[in-house]
């Protein structure tokens, strides 16, 4: 079981309010991702849940039990740190055994769990090495191993993949998702990489300056961003936001169109512009279009190879049903 | 130092320093060994002659020899224990965020800047003096007989004084080591359910092992030759109770004017130092490997 409820949780460092009163419910078995720009309070929120920081005000409940004043070890949560935080002088086996040893678990049970975790995480051959003799990905797996042997109510991850190279990151992303499917335990995952958020999450929590901007499934956030911040943050490349006369034509202060929802043509269309940089990814091509009179640049995604090059004049047509409209406060107009 | 060329260049560059250092060490060593084989008494100039190992035999048969040997080891061991244990505790204390941290740190380092003779005299006259010392005042205040430290516990008193001098050094080195401990490791241990005591035992102490090794090795070098503190407090007494090897050598060569005997003692001290060094490296040297 791992249902975590935050009730008006507030955090101040001195006079600085990093997390204004915040309500959030995380259901049992859910994979929740906190995303937001750097410094928005994701790590702080995670550390509040873990008990590594004291809440200034409000209440945290785990499975309905008040946990606000419980020390970290008593909350039944396990955390995987960005720096892995392995114990450098202990072997991998001892690292994984450490939480069980601290809990006074019988030796044979410890051994059984270590073997299970090592098998699940492909660490069997490395059990007697020190962390310093492992690669980044292996260290990450040891850190996860140390977390799963405790059979916690929920896992907390703080940007666990940010120290890995791109290929490894994709691999570990899948492994963590699979782990979640297999264990069916609540996981809270902090990242500022919105691709990780989109691919892994059951539920995404978008944060800005400690405030929750929107909570929802990845597709909900993609289809119906509640405001311009979420609209700009979710999706890659970013949504094009257009203000002014063109927006007022649609009865809004700002309109947003995703790069993949604009059709490109060399001969005709609603908007006219000139191609700046073209990024060829093979499967897709991203065009940065200037001189449209709408915004500094518009980003357009065209599938595959299109016969357009730097300096060409293009015509753009937004797909009418994919235009998002926002009011003067940046809120979505239904 | 990747290539053959840069390696040999490096050797040529450091050779003057090596030659100078070697001469600096070899010349006194050879002279000491040479004197130790002579009958060489300053009261009888002109009578020097070769006597073989007689000086060593006499030094060894001196009833003070084994006492001095034991005292040297007790002094080194005692001070090491006090400074390492005290240093670890003080370093942990100083690492806590507290008001006036900067001032407190400077105060803790201060004893290291006081000359050994001065600090020993301050201890002797202002603290340990059985008539006018502070400790005597305390004893009297609570209605106890004043304790004459330097008469009844001379070696322990000297261990105390020397520890007081070396505690800042140990604290400083251990403090920097503690500060380099990754705070996420501590937090991970906290989440893993480790109590403050187990966190100290399983995380902090292993992290400090290298720094502790450095403290022990460096201090041993200096503690084997403690002299000034003994000279100004107890003069090695009462009897031989606080005589260490260094002081015995001094007594031989400058109180008895027996340069030959003193040199023999010096050579014995070198041998002892090497034995201690070998023991230490065997015991804790592996901590220095990465
Ligand atoms: N111990 C602290 N004392 C004072 N301010 C702090 C402390 N820890 C964090 N903050 C502030 O709280 C804010 C949120 O920090 P936090 O580490 O939660 O950001 P984050 O969302 O995790 O960012 P990143 O993506 O860069 O890791 C920041 O503005 C930071 O300066
Ligand atoms: Mg962070």
């Amino acid at each position: 079981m791992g249902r975590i409820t935050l009730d008006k949780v507030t955090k101040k460092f001195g006079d600085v309010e990093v997390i204004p009163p915040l309500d959030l419910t995380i259901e049992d078995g859910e994979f929740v991702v906190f995303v937001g720009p750097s410094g928005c309070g994701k790590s702080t929120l995670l550390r509040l849940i873990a008990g590594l920081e004291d809440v200034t005000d409000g209440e945290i409940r785990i499975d309905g039990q008040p946990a606000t004043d419980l020390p970290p070890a008593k909350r039944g949560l396990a955390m995987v740190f960005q720096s892995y935080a392995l114990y450098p002088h202990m072997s991998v086996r001892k690292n994984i055994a450490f939480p069980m040893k601290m809990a006074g678990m019988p030796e044979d049970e410890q051994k059984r769990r270590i073997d299970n975790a090592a098998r699940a995480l492909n660490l069997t051959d490395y059990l007697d090495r020190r962390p310093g003799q492992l690669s980044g990905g292996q260290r990450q797996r040891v850190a996860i191993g140390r977390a799963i042997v405790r059979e916690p109510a929920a896992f907390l991850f703080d940007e666990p993949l940010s120290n890995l190279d791109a290929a490894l990151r994709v691999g570990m992303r899948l492994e963590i998702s699979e782990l979640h499917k297999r264990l069916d335990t609540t996981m809270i995952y902090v990242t500022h990489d919105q691709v990780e958020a989109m691919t892994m999450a059951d539920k995404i929590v978008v944060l800005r300056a400690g405030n929750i901007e929107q909570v929802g499934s990845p597709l909900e956030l993609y289809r119906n961003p509640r405001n311009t911040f979420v609209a700009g943050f979710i999706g890659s490349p970013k949504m094009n936001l257009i203000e002014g006369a063109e927006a007022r034509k649609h009865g809004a202060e700002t309109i947003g169109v995703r790069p993949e929802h604009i059709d490109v043509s060399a001969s005709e269309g609603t908007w006219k512009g000139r191609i700046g940089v073209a990024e060829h990814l093979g499967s897709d091509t991203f065009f940065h279009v200037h001189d449209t009179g709408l915004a500094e640049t518009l980003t357009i995604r065209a599938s595959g190879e299109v016969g357009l090059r730097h300096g060409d004049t293009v015509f753009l047509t937004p797909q009418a049903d994919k235009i998002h409209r926002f009011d003067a406060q940046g809120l979505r107009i239904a | 130092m990747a290539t053959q060329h840069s390696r040999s260049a490096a050797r040529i560059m450091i050779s003057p320093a090596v030659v100078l250092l070697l001469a600096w060490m070899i010349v006194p060593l050879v002279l000491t060994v040479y004197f130790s084989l002579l009958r060489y008494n300053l009261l009888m100039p002109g009578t020097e002659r070769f006597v073989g190992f007689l000086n060593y035999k006499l030094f060894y048969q001196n009833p003070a020899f084994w006492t001095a040997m034991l005292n040297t080891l007790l002094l080194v061991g005692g001070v090491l224990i006090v400074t390492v244990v005290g240093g670890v505790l003080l370093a942990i204390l100083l690492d806590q965020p507290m008001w006036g941290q900067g001032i407190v740190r400077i105060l803790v380092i201060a004893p290291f800047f006081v000359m050994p003779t001065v600090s020993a005299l301050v201890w002797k006259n202002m603290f340990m003096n059985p008539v006018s010392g502070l400790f005597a005042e305390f004893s009297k205040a609570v209605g106890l007989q004043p304790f004459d430290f330097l008469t009844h516990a001379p070696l322990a008193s000297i261990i105390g004084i020397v520890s007081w001098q070396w505690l800042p050094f140990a604290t400083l080195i251990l403090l920097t080591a503690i500060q380099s401990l990754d705070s996420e490791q501590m937090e991970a241990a906290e989440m893993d359910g480790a109590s403050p005591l187990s966190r100290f035992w399983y995380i902090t102490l292993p992290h400090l092992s290298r720094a502790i090794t450095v403290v022990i090795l460096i201090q041993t070098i200096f503690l084997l030759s403690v002299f000034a503190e003994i000279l100004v407090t107890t003069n090695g007494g009462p009897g031989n109770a606080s005589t260490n090897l260094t002081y015995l050598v001094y007594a031989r060569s400058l109180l008895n004017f027996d340069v030959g005997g003193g040199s023999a003692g010096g050579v014995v001290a070198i041998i002892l130092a090497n034995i201690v060094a070998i023991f230490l490296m065997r015991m804790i040297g592996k901590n220095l490997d990465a």
Side-chain angles (χ1 to χ4, degrees):
Chain A
M1 282 293 285
R3 184 172 193 272
I4 298 170
T5 318
L6 307 186
D7 190 3
K8 305 236 168 355
V9 166
T10 312
K11 177 67 188 176
K12 286 183 186 165
F13 287 112
D15 290 338
V16 188
E17 195 172 56
V18 176
I19 311 271
L22 177 148
D23 294 306
L24 180 67
T25 302
I26 293 160
E27 298 295 341
D28 183 35
E30 233 174 5
F31 197 120
V32 177
V33 173
F34 294 168
V35 279
S38 189
C40 69
K42 307 178 295 286
S43 299
T44 307
L45 192 56
L46 198 70
R47 292 165 57 82
L48 287 173
I49 296 173
L52 295 172
E53 300 277 358
D54 293 324
V55 299
T56 310
D57 209 0
E59 203 186 6
I60 298 173
R61 283 189 299 276
I62 299 174
D63 292 330
Q65 303 297 316
T68 319
D69 298 319
L70 284 183
K74 295 264 159 58
R75 300 191 182 193
L77 309 176
M79 184 145 165
V80 176
F81 292 83
Q82 181 173 358
S83 66
Y84 318 134
L86 299 178
Y87 312 125
H89 49 274
M90 296 184 200
S91 65
V92 168
R93 184 191 305 280
K94 288 206 172 125
N95 261 284
I96 298 179
F98 190 73
M100 299 187 283
K101 184 169 164 185
M102 289 299 114
M105 191 182 285
E107 291 278 340
D108 45 345
E109 174 67 11
Q110 284 189 25
K111 190 168 167 358
R112 196 183 61 78
R113 289 195 186 188
I114 294 171
D115 289 343
N116 280 345
R119 214 169 318 120
L121 295 165
N122 279 327
L123 285 171
T124 314
D125 296 336
Y126 308 109
L127 279 178
D128 293 312
R129 291 210 201 162
R130 296 274 180 98
Q133 300 162 319
L134 298 178
S135 73
Q138 289 162 346
R139 281 181 217 184
Q140 186 61 65
R141 283 203 285 266
V142 176
I144 294 174
R146 192 173 62 183
I148 58 178
V149 290
R150 293 177 54 197
E151 302 187 346
F155 291 94
L156 312 177
F157 295 91
D158 192 354
E159 308 204 22
L161 307 187
S162 55
N163 288 343
L164 303 180
D165 69 42
L168 208 51
R169 196 143 62 200
V170 175
M172 285 304 296
R173 204 164 78 197
L174 280 174
E175 281 188 38
I176 294 177
S177 291
E178 269 165 25
L179 192 71
H180 177 243
K181 298 253 155 25
R182 201 172 62 223
L183 299 176
D184 216 16
T185 312
T186 312
M187 290 190 177
I188 307 178
Y189 188 103
V190 166
T191 178
H192 55 238
D193 177 352
Q194 57 98 22
V195 177
E196 274 174 32
M198 293 296 282
T199 51
M200 301 170 87
D202 293 326
K203 183 158 102 183
I204 295 180
V205 177
V206 182
L207 293 165
R208 173 168 59 165
N211 286 301
I212 296 186
E213 294 290 318
Q214 190 171 3
V215 179
S217 73
L219 284 183
E220 253 171 69
L221 264 55
Y222 178 80
R223 292 201 186 113
N224 301 313
R226 206 169 65 85
N227 56 30
T228 46
F229 177 78
V230 178
F233 199 80
I234 299 290
S236 168
K238 284 169 73 154
M239 182 189 280
N240 298 297
L241 293 172
I242 300 164
E243 292 170 356
E246 186 65 29
R248 277 191 289 281
K249 260 194 245 167
H250 291 86
E253 276 304 306
T254 311
I255 55 169
V257 196
R258 296 197 183 276
E260 52 271 43
H261 298 147
I262 299 179
D263 298 325
V264 205
S265 155
S267 51
E268 54 180 348
T270 321
W271 303 325
K272 182 179 169 212
R274 192 177 44 79
I275 294 180
V277 175
E279 297 172 314
H280 300 276
L281 303 185
S283 60
D284 296 307
T285 307
F286 298 131
F287 295 112
H288 297 266
V289 180
H290 304 289
D291 302 333
T292 51
L294 304 167
E296 184 83 4
T297 29
L298 291 184
T299 314
I300 314 298
R301 171 175 164 187
S303 58
E305 286 299 312
V306 187
L308 292 169
R309 306 190 32 221
H310 174 78
D312 288 357
T313 301
V314 284
F315 294 90
L316 311 172
T317 314
Q319 299 169 6
D321 55 335
K322 298 282 169 57
I323 296 176
H324 304 265
R325 300 183 305 143
F326 303 97
D327 65 15
Q329 278 75 49
L331 290 178
R332 180 184 192 79
I333 302 172
Chain B
M1 305 276 185
T3 64
Q4 192 74 46
H5 182 72
S6 63
R7 259 200 302 272
S8 52
R11 270 192 213 124
I12 293 170
M13 302 284 227
I14 61 170
S15 54
V18 171
V19 169
L20 194 70
L21 210 65
L22 215 63
W24 203 262
M25 283 165 49
I26 290 290
V27 171
L29 181 67
V30 169
L31 272 180
T32 308
V33 173
Y34 171 64
F35 288 153
S36 74
L37 301 175
L38 293 184
R39 195 182 91 144
Y40 186 178
N41 196 310
L42 295 177
L43 293 178
M44 295 175 271
T47 63
E48 293 86 36
R49 61 186 171 80
F50 187 78
V51 292
F53 286 95
L54 182 66
N55 283 324
Y56 288 93
K57 197 165 155 233
L58 290 178
F59 193 79
Y60 170 78
Q61 282 170 347
N62 185 340
F65 173 73
W66 286 110
T67 323
M69 204 72 158
L70 186 68
N71 283 345
T72 307
L73 295 178
L74 282 179
L75 183 62
V76 172
V79 174
L80 282 181
I81 290 172
V82 174
T83 51
V84 168
V85 172
V88 169
L89 296 180
L90 262 179
I92 290 175
L93 198 68
L94 289 181
D95 191 40
Q96 309 297 319
M98 59 178 171
W99 187 82
Q101 203 168 37
I103 301 274
V104 173
R105 282 186 189 166
I106 289 174
L107 284 181
V108 168
I109 303 166
F112 203 50
F113 296 115
V114 181
M115 282 173 282
T117 33
V118 174
S119 72
L121 281 176
V122 167
W123 274 92
K124 178 185 177 184
N125 295 322
M126 294 182 66
F127 291 104
M128 292 175 168
N129 189 303
V131 179
S132 57
L134 265 183
F135 293 154
E137 288 300 321
F138 281 135
S139 313
K140 277 185 252 170
V142 296
L144 291 174
Q145 263 314 308
F147 185 72
D148 188 354
F149 289 92
L150 293 175
T151 312
H152 297 300
L155 192 64
S157 303
I158 288 173
I159 289 177
I161 295 172
V162 177
S163 299
W164 181 80
Q165 282 169 11
W166 281 95
L167 195 56
F169 172 78
T171 307
L172 214 60
I173 293 210
L174 294 171
L175 178 63
T176 54
I178 282 192
Q179 285 172 336
S180 72
L181 177 57
D182 173 21
S183 68
E184 285 199 343
Q185 249 181 62
M186 266 316 196
E187 288 174 344
E190 204 178 334
M191 298 234 28
D192 283 346
S195 65
L197 213 61
S198 348
R199 287 205 293 274
F200 172 75
W201 186 254
Y202 290 107
I203 312 293
T204 311
L205 218 49
H207 175 77
L208 287 183
S209 62
R210 196 180 297 191
I212 290 177
T213 309
V214 169
V215 166
I216 290 179
L217 291 179
I218 293 183
Q219 287 199 13
T220 305
I221 295 171
F222 287 92
L223 294 178
L224 279 169
S225 57
V226 165
F227 174 71
E229 293 85 342
I230 299 175
L231 181 73
V232 301
T233 52
T234 62
N235 270 314
N240 298 321
S242 59
T243 298
N244 69 353
L245 217 48
T246 324
Y247 193 84
L248 191 66
V249 170
Y250 159 77
R252 272 273 106 206
S253 46
L254 292 175
L255 296 183
N256 300 344
F257 303 101
D258 178 4
V259 176
S263 299
V267 174
V268 171
I270 294 171
I271 293 168
L272 177 72
N274 279 292
I275 292 174
V276 171
I278 289 168
F279 257 101
L280 279 180
M281 288 313 282
R282 274 280 162 81
M283 271 187 329
I284 57 176
K286 64 176 190 307
N287 284 343
L288 292 179
D289 301 337

